[in-house]
Amino acid sequence: MLAAMPPTPTPPPDRGEPRIRDRGDACPGALRLHPADDGLLARLRLPAGRLTVGQLKALAVAAGRLGDGALSITSRGNAELRGLADGCGAELAELLRDAGLLPSETHERVRNIVASPLAGLDGLGRADVQLWASELDALLCASGPAAGLSGRFLFALDDGRGDVAGLGADVTLLAESDGRAVLRIGRHSHRVRAADAARAALAAAEAFLTAAAEAGTGAWRVRELPDWQDIAVGARLERAGVVPAPPAAADGTERSAPDARPSPEAPAGPGAGPLPGVVAGPHGWAVSVAAPLGRLTADQLRELLPAPADELRLTPWRGVVLPGFADRGTAEARLRALGRAGLVTGADSPWYGVGACTGRPGCARSLADVRADAVPGRGGLPVYWSGCERRCGRPRGDYVDVVAVGDGAYRVTAHGAPVPVPSRAELADTIATARTRTTK
């Protein structure tokens, strides 16, 4: 099961033609390691971003013993270990297996589930979709067909606040009141009972696999299916025993489904998730922090422990939520300690909303050391630094796009329009201005 993964570039399709995938998905995993310029890379799927204290300790041990000592948080709330030595695959797998991070070795790359990180904590959602995520993960691992999903196929479980529904998932569940949920995949939308939500999501994914096989294009994602290829979601839901949800009101009227886009007030990209700080809820307090440029150092990993509820949640905005504090004072004390360790603890931090890809020296494609070049700022649009045109890990929505073009130069784009950069010395000022510039 352990293998080094060769890079597999795929040329883009001609305009107007469906994308053809002529090989299997080579997305890295915990067992399929990817050779990068800084060593092997392992990507661990963490459904809903959840980790126990013991699991975080195991990742810290793996990072220190086998890798570069740090842990990266991905834009799906998963975790990456970098700088892994050749021949470490068996030892890494044993560490992960002992920590309960490999419930199914045949399905470990398909457990891509993002969920509202504050679900069940702050009292604002319509359902605790974290529970849906646990059920869906178990169903995925028990499904033979689901093992055929691409490592890029994504499920998003939104508790109604609109935070993860806009992340471009293949299958989205949006919680409604009255014990209902909206299932979305491609052009299809179905209302189901909340109790059936996880089974409905799996059924939709299996319907996609059938559609992809019928299309014969090797599609990895729903958006890659040809326009003429339908997904027989309704029939698959019926086979799975998922019945339509009853009307929401006594008079039989239907409310519209919640919008899948984030609210206009919520900034897109690195700043769209939970704000750093202390979060109050009906059953206690939580602490929310962000990892600068998505990397948790060894010292920061140690500072995250112990967690009061034996649970941590990594977020798609490269943050960490620690629930379970009994009172505000204890939560604020932990927040201050995490700030001293270098984590982002407030929206006024100059690193809040600033993201970057791996860049040099870890990525052979990168034209610059973007992590070293990235500069802090304050307020406005998120900004994302990319070492090449692929823009790996870039946020969705509106953001300042900073892309290396070689010879130490960068191209800056804001609101879809290029921003002139007079010189490298004026790059930071140019980005700061672009972050606060409004659309015309």
Side-chain angles (χ1 to χ4, degrees):
M1 299 280 308
L2 303 168
M5 183 193 72
T8 55
T10 303
D14 293 334
R15 191 168 185 173
E17 295 182 1
R19 184 165 196 165
I20 305 297
R21 299 281 193 183
D22 58 1
R23 64 183 71 193
D25 170 32
C27 198
L31 301 177
R32 179 185 289 180
L33 307 184
H34 172 74
D37 272 18
D38 58 349
L40 296 176
L41 177 154
R43 183 174 299 157
L44 288 78
R45 271 59 176 192
L46 305 174
R50 294 176 72 170
L51 283 168
T52 65
V53 167
Q55 289 170 339
L56 183 63
K57 287 180 179 178
L59 292 182
V61 168
R65 184 187 303 171
L66 307 176
D68 62 8
L71 188 73
S72 296
I73 306 176
T74 77
S75 59
R76 294 181 169 189
N78 291 320
E80 283 186 352
L81 298 168
R82 301 192 65 94
L84 297 168
D86 289 340
C88 75
E91 184 177 358
L92 174 62
E94 183 179 2
L95 277 169
L96 300 178
R97 196 177 294 113
D98 290 345
L101 289 166
L102 284 178
S104 171
E105 299 189 6
T106 56
H107 293 70
E108 60 97 4
R109 293 190 311 128
V110 306
R111 302 167 65 224
N112 289 303
I113 305 172
V114 296
S116 300
L118 295 182
L121 299 180
D122 61 359
L124 297 181
R126 297 170 181 166
D128 189 350
V129 294
Q130 295 279 329
L131 300 178
W132 294 1
S134 297
E135 183 182 356
L136 175 57
D137 184 35
L139 291 172
L140 273 174
C141 291
S143 166
L149 289 170
S150 158
R152 307 183 189 205
F153 194 92
L154 179 63
F155 297 87
L157 315 184
D158 194 300
D159 69 356
R161 73 185 69 212
D163 55 353
V164 301
L167 295 182
D170 298 278
V171 175
T172 300
L173 286 171
L174 299 111
E176 290 190 314
S177 55
D178 302 317
R180 308 189 316 167
V182 175
L183 170 74
R184 289 180 176 167
I185 176 171
R187 298 184 295 268
H188 297 274
S189 179
H190 296 265
R191 274 189 174 85
V192 299
R193 301 173 190 269
D196 293 333
R199 286 196 298 130
L202 175 63
E206 291 178 343
F208 160 76
L209 287 171
T210 300
E214 292 173 352
T217 57
W220 296 345
R221 308 286 308 273
V222 169
R223 62 174 176 262
E224 294 177 358
L225 287 174
D227 291 341
W228 44 262
Q229 179 62 57
D230 190 27
I231 307 174
V233 183
R236 180 71 65 159
L237 291 173
E238 185 175 351
R239 283 176 52 189
V242 177
V243 298
D251 60 3
T253 59
E254 281 282 345
R255 287 195 295 258
S256 60
D259 196 336
R261 298 168 295 177
S263 65
E265 294 80 13
L275 291 174
V278 172
V279 180
H283 307 295
W285 301 79
V287 165
S288 173
V289 295
L293 302 182
R295 292 275 280 174
L296 291 168
T297 66
D299 288 342
Q300 290 166 348
L301 287 169
R302 283 191 291 269
E303 195 61 49
L304 287 169
L305 302 170
D310 194 32
E311 176 189 337
L312 303 94
R313 300 179 183 181
L314 305 188
T315 79
W317 302 275
R318 297 178 171 88
V320 184
V321 174
L322 285 78
F325 292 92
D327 57 82
R328 185 183 186 97
T330 306
E332 289 179 341
R334 175 59 71 87
L335 186 70
R336 289 191 295 271
L338 292 171
R340 290 191 294 270
L343 291 165
V344 176
T345 58
D348 58 347
S349 166
W351 287 107
Y352 178 67
V354 180
C357 70
T358 297
R360 290 179 178 173
C363 178
R365 293 176 179 267
S366 181
L367 302 176
D369 186 348
V370 291
R371 293 181 178 273
D373 291 344
V375 294
R378 290 188 184 276
L381 288 176
V383 57
Y384 195 77
W385 295 68
S386 300
C388 72
E389 298 290 347
R390 296 176 74 195
R391 298 176 176 84
C392 293
R394 65 188 182 277
R396 294 181 65 85
D398 202 4
Y399 67 101
V400 178
D401 185 29
V402 184
V403 181
V405 293
D407 296 327
Y410 285 89
R411 184 180 68 250
V412 180
T413 305
H415 300 297
V419 179
V421 182
S423 68
R424 175 60 186 265
E426 297 172 277
L427 178 61
D429 289 339
T430 300
I431 293 171
T433 300
R435 294 186 76 177
T436 57
R437 195 176 75 176
T438 59
T439 54
K440 296 183 178 178

